[in-house]
């Protein structure tokens, strides 16, 4: 019965994976590669022989958009640590820069927040093989590296775009330019939110609805290694500036390039206003000028998880399913993909198995995002109010200079790095001791201003860099 | 100039963890080697192991709240990354299989200890 409905009554026999079962993975970026890697690793541990085909049209050895899944390229502290425990190395030719601190910039000044032990705990990578016209051939693509790890476990990589999905006797088949594949026992969809692919699945009648998204902006700035070392160092630079339509901005130093990431309603004029702001130009060499031809893009970011990211024999992983709000998307791809892979091996590939074992991980992420929205509302408020901004700067600056509790520093660290769940961060900010300290610093700021005092040169925080 | 190394660099002979101190993290060697040794009551050092790239140490601190059982110091230059107890346990709560490799390494060490004990008892 070719082209029967997905799932339905005829679900193609038992909904579990056996020796010789065939699995198709659409998308060979973090979600697809992690899924394939952990599926094969777990299957091998229990002596189950699976065939895994990854469909990925991108060639990650190419520079510029053809080889790049547009992103800031920060591999979070928590993901770096998990990968180490998994035995997945982060080689120095994939990591372009180890990050050991964040510098928070506001109009009033800047503060640096260091990692405990001054350790490089965060990795800055390029997802593809660098920006258009890249001169940095000593580094490799992060996505390419993960795909190789999956291939090393035995996955077959097909450089093909998937144009459709058909069902035969309750089993999915993949449509590519080359034709229709043999039926698969499981289909994992890791296409992210930046191709039209998810439409195919919304139309299948599975109940799946693609995630809601917002547009962002990324631009690569060429500075050269020495200038990056001198001006940005091994810190990620985060900007909370009171500019209309700008929600968040960051400069992420890599090898020879710095990646600029902007969230908000971004247009060309706003990008130029941002780059000309004193807080930003202080981070760049005085003679730095934008070149005419630069690599930039406006990718979508997932802001609301998908509805029903699974059905019989199909599961949506990474951005196509659920991801963390604004932070640690690659870390979320690792979490959801591994959960889906373990479910498929140990519990089966039925909708019910995914609902029981996989859905709780997606739901945790989505619930936590709701609290994340609240936290970002507060950061936006701080962004708008000078008293709050100065209070935060002074509080962090004091904490970084002393040996006492680093409450505000750790809250900001976790917000910007995405290292802790939003719930954890929110609970910490609601502690009376924390609230009392914030109020004290805000009140002091009012008092200084009311008495006509100033903060020295009008700037607070530390002199950075 | 390498910019992509993760972790912290320890110079030759620098102590990374000290026997008897409290600990709340484990370490993964990124590059170089470290030596693990115990000090007996008479300030003598007994070398227990030399560990290399990808090896863990200090993993007992993730599971119990006892003090460090041995001292670890860098042999030549070593680059080492920490894994925090809290973030490790948070992940293990969601995905218990993350502990697999730690348990694997611990079971490997128990095998080595068994062999060593047999050697000591039989005098071979
Ligand atoms: C501006 C911005 C900055 C970000 N910064 C960070 C950051 O610093 N750190 C972080 O952790 N996260 C960041 N993220 C989030 C991160 O990019 C995503 O969460 C992550 O890429 C999700 O991985 P994925 O594998 O699910 O999807 P993607 O990375 O989007 O990959 C999808 C893959 O599917 C393939 N594909 C698509 N359609 C088809 C098809 N029809 N057939 C076959 N293959 C197909 C694509 O070629 C691609 O390789 C950022 C996002 C944005 C927008």
């Amino acid at each position: 019965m070719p082209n029967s409905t997905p799932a339905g009554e005829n679900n193609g026999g038992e909904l579990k994976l056996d020796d010789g079962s065939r699995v198709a993975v659409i998308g060979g970026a973090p979600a697809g590669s992690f899924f394939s890697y952990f599926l094969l690793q777990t299957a091998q541990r229990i002596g189950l022989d699976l065939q895994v085909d990854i469909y990925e049209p991108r060639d990650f050895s190419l520079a510029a958009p053809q080889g790049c899944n547009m992103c800031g390229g920060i591999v979070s502290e928590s993901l770096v640590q998990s990968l180490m425990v998994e035995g997945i190395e982060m080689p120095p030719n994939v990591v372009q820069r180890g990050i050991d601190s964040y510098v928070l910039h506001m109009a009033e000044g800047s503060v640096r927040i260091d990692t405990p032990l001054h350790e490089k705990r965060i990795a800055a990578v390029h997802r593809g093989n660098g920006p258009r016209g890249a001169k940095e051939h000593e580094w490799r693509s992060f996505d390419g590296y993960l795909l190789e790890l999956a291939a090393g476990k035995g996955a077959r990589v097909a450089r093909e775009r998937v144009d459709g999905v058909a069902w035969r006797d309750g089993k999915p088949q993949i449509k590519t330019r080359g034709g229709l594949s043999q039926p698969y026992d499981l289909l994992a969809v890791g296409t992210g939110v930046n191709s039209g692919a998810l439409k195919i699945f919304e139309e299948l009648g599975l109940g799946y609805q693609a995630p809601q998204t917002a547009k962002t902006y990324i631009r690569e700035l060429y500075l050269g290694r020495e200038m990056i070392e001198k001006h940005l160092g091994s810190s990620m630079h985060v900007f909370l500036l009171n500019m209309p339509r700008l929600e968040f901005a960051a400069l992420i130093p890599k090898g020879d390039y710095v990646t600029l990431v902007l969230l908000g309603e971004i247009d060309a004029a706003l990008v130029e206003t941002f780059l000309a702001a004193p807080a930003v130009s202080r981070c760049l060499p005085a003679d730095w000028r934008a070149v005419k031809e630069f690599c930039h893009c406006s990718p979508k970011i997932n802001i609301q998880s998908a509805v029903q990211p699974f059905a019989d024999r199909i599961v949506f992983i990474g951005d196509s399913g659920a991801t963390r709000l604004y932070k640690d998307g690659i870390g979320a791809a690792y979490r959801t993909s591994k959960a889906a892979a373990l479910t498929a091996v140990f519990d089966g590939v039925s909708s019910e198995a995914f609902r029981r074992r996989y859905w709780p991980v997606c739901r945790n992420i989505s619930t936590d995002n709701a609290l994340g929205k609240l936290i970002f509302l507060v950061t936006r408020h701080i962004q708008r109010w000078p008293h709050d901004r100065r209070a935060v700067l002074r509080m962090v600056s004091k904490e970084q200079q002393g040996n006492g509790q680093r409450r505000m520093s750790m809250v900001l660290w976790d917000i910007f790095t995405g290292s802790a769940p939003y719930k954890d961060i929110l609970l910490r900010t609601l502690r009376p001791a924390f609230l009392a300290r914030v109020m004290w610093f805000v009140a002091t700021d009012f008092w200084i201003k009311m008495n006509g005092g100033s903060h020295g040169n009008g700037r607070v925080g530390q002199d950075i860099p | 100039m390498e910019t992509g190394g993760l972790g912290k660099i320890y110079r030759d002979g620098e102590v990374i963890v000290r026997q008897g101190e409290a600990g709340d993290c484990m370490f993964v060697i990124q590059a170089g080697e470290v030596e693990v040794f115990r000090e007996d009551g008479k300030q003598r050092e007994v070398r227990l192991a030399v560990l290399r790239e990808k090896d863990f140490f200090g993993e007992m601190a993730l599971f119990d709240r006892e003090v460090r059982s041995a001292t670890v110091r860098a042999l030549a230059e070593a680059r080492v990354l920490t894994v925090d107890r809290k973030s490790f346990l948070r992940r293990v709560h969601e995905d218990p299989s993350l502990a697999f490799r730690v348990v694997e390494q611990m079971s490997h060490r128990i095998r080595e200890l068994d062999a060593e004990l047999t050697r000591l008892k039989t005098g071979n």
Side-chain angles (χ1 to χ4, degrees):
Chain A
M1 187 177 68
N3 293 330
S4 63
T5 52
E9 282 125 54
N10 186 357
N11 58 21
E14 259 202 283
L15 288 161
K16 63 187 198 51
L17 299 179
D18 291 313
D19 269 338
S21 285
R22 288 161 42 81
V23 179
V25 182
I26 312 184
S33 295
F34 280 132
F35 176 83
S36 310
Y37 180 91
F38 290 113
L39 185 79
L40 286 162
Q41 181 187 66
T42 314
Q44 283 154 14
R45 277 179 184 162
I46 60 163
L48 180 67
D49 183 24
L50 300 178
Q51 184 194 318
V52 176
D53 297 338
I54 304 176
Y55 291 84
E56 172 56 68
R58 269 190 215 287
D59 178 352
F60 296 117
S61 68
L62 297 177
Q66 298 95 304
C68 178
N69 282 315
M70 307 144 290
C71 150
I74 284 286
V75 183
S76 71
E77 189 181 16
S78 49
L79 179 57
V80 164
Q81 295 191 14
S82 294
L83 294 182
M84 290 304 138
V85 179
E86 299 278 12
I88 297 179
E89 277 180 85
M90 290 290 284
N93 65 349
V94 172
V95 180
Q96 301 204 1
R97 196 166 287 270
I99 302 286
D100 60 8
S101 48
Y102 266 53
V103 182
L104 172 62
H105 300 274
M106 304 193 197
E108 291 74 10
S110 311
V111 275
R112 172 199 237 95
I113 307 171
D114 285 301
T115 47
L117 302 173
H118 299 276
E119 186 188 13
K120 293 184 174 161
R121 290 172 154 234
I122 295 171
V125 301
H126 267 145
R127 301 283 301 272
N129 201 11
R132 183 180 299 144
K135 302 172 182 80
E136 46 186 32
H137 286 297
E138 64 193 90
W139 284 289
R140 294 165 63 196
S141 144
F142 177 68
D143 287 17
Y145 169 64
L146 293 184
L147 191 57
E148 269 174 32
L149 288 179
K153 283 271 173 227
R156 196 182 66 95
V157 181
R159 293 237 163 276
E160 287 179 291
R161 172 172 302 282
V162 173
D163 300 320
V165 174
W167 294 77
R168 186 189 177 94
D169 300 335
K171 288 189 176 185
Q173 289 175 289
I174 297 292
K175 278 188 207 163
T176 63
R177 268 226 307 242
L180 200 57
S181 74
Q182 290 298 309
Y184 283 101
D185 297 285
L186 171 65
L187 184 57
V189 183
T191 58
V193 289
N194 277 297
S195 76
L198 293 178
K199 274 226 149 13
I200 302 172
F201 301 96
E202 285 185 320
E203 287 161 6
L204 284 177
L206 303 166
Y208 173 77
Q209 277 172 35
Q212 288 173 30
T213 58
K215 237 171 83 176
T216 63
Y217 179 83
I218 300 180
R219 172 157 158 185
E220 295 289 340
L221 317 179
Y222 180 80
L223 258 70
R225 208 171 313 183
E226 262 174 43
M227 284 297 152
I228 294 182
E229 203 63 44
K230 186 164 165 208
H231 291 271
L232 293 121
S234 43
S235 309
M236 169 150 168
H237 293 252
V238 174
F239 299 84
L240 289 185
L241 302 179
N242 188 16
M243 272 184 199
R245 298 182 288 121
L246 179 68
E247 300 277 350
F248 172 83
L251 285 175
I252 303 160
K254 308 270 170 79
D256 287 329
Y257 286 83
V258 176
T259 306
L260 164 67
V261 175
L262 301 178
L263 303 185
E265 292 165 46
I266 315 295
D267 56 23
L270 181 53
V271 178
E272 296 318 316
T273 314
F274 172 79
L275 284 171
V280 181
S281 44
R282 273 201 298 273
C283 296
L284 300 171
D287 58 353
W288 181 83
R289 297 283 171 275
V291 287
K292 272 216 182 82
E293 287 285 309
F294 49 80
C295 202
H296 65 115
C297 56
S298 301
K300 289 185 215 158
I301 198 162
N302 177 330
I303 52 165
Q304 179 89 48
S305 304
V307 174
Q308 185 73 20
F310 53 84
D312 282 348
R313 298 195 187 281
I314 185 165
V315 62
F316 296 81
I317 52 180
D319 272 16
S320 317
T323 190
R324 291 196 70 201
L325 184 69
Y326 300 143
K327 297 285 151 194
D328 194 21
I330 305 172
Y334 154 76
R335 286 167 62 191
T336 55
S337 302
K338 193 173 176 198
L342 294 179
T343 303
V345 172
F346 292 117
D347 301 279
V349 296
S350 66
S351 177
E352 177 54 22
F354 288 124
R355 194 189 59 71
R356 254 184 308 118
R357 295 287 185 186
Y358 174 61
W359 176 237
V361 174
C362 299
R363 196 182 45 210
N364 277 350
I365 291 176
S366 306
T367 314
D368 196 52
N369 284 346
L371 301 175
K373 281 186 182 152
L374 207 66
I375 290 177
F376 287 112
L377 216 67
V378 177
T379 12
R380 241 161 266 157
H381 174 88
I382 294 173
Q383 212 167 328
R384 307 265 180 274
W385 293 92
H387 287 295
D388 293 7
R389 292 201 297 264
R390 279 193 298 266
V392 168
L393 280 176
R394 285 179 41 236
M395 204 169 156
V396 175
S397 181
K398 272 231 154 61
E399 288 177 0
Q400 294 293 312
Q401 283 155 20
N403 291 324
Q405 296 245 32
R406 300 166 76 220
R407 290 192 181 101
M408 180 59 95
S409 305
M410 288 320 296
V411 162
L412 291 177
W413 176 264
D414 287 336
I415 294 176
F416 295 134
T417 60
S419 293
Y422 291 123
K423 181 178 170 197
D424 202 88
I425 301 172
L426 194 66
L427 288 179
R428 269 184 280 152
T429 61
L430 295 177
R431 283 189 194 147
F434 180 86
L435 288 173
R437 229 175 129 67
V438 174
M439 283 190 300
W440 166 255
F441 273 92
V442 174
T444 320
D445 194 78
F446 268 108
W447 191 83
I448 294 171
K449 282 278 157 191
M450 270 166 44
N451 287 286
S454 81
H455 301 273
N457 56 4
R459 292 175 27 80
V460 283
Q462 305 150 329
D463 278 330
I464 288 169
Chain B
M1 173 180 45
E2 185 189 281
T3 55
L6 293 178
K8 183 179 171 181
I9 292 176
Y10 292 87
R11 283 182 304 275
D12 188 15
E14 200 176 340
V15 170
I16 306 166
V17 298
R18 198 177 288 283
Q19 185 178 333
E21 283 181 358
D24 61 358
C25 60
M26 79 164 188
F27 300 82
V28 186
I29 304 171
Q30 304 293 298
E33 290 181 347
V34 303
E35 66 171 337
V36 186
F37 63 91
R38 268 182 89 101
E39 286 167 54
D40 64 8
K42 296 171 194 146
Q43 306 268 304
R44 277 180 312 204
E45 293 181 355
V46 182
R47 187 192 261 197
L48 301 178
V50 172
L51 305 175
R52 304 187 167 76
E53 211 172 300
K54 277 180 117 175
D55 284 340
F56 306 144
F57 60 89
E59 70 277 14
M60 290 182 218
L62 298 181
F63 300 100
D64 60 30
R65 298 184 78 93
E66 303 282 318
V67 294
R68 299 282 186 202
S69 62
T71 297
V72 181
R73 71 180 162 217
L75 278 177
E77 192 177 271
R79 194 155 42 77
V80 175
L81 185 90
T82 51
V83 174
D84 307 317
R85 181 199 284 146
K86 194 171 171 192
S87 51
F88 173 78
L89 293 181
R90 188 189 287 134
R91 277 291 304 140
V92 167
H93 180 68
E94 182 176 290
D95 167 23
S97 79
L98 186 67
F100 189 94
R101 271 195 76 245
V102 185
V103 174
E104 196 176 45
Q105 178 150 338
M106 281 175 145
S107 85
H108 184 68
R109 292 216 175 118
I110 293 171
R111 276 180 201 281
E112 282 177 353
L113 286 177
D114 283 348
E116 188 70 14
L117 197 64
T118 313
R119 209 170 53 79
L120 288 173
K121 283 199 165 175
T122 57
N124 291 326

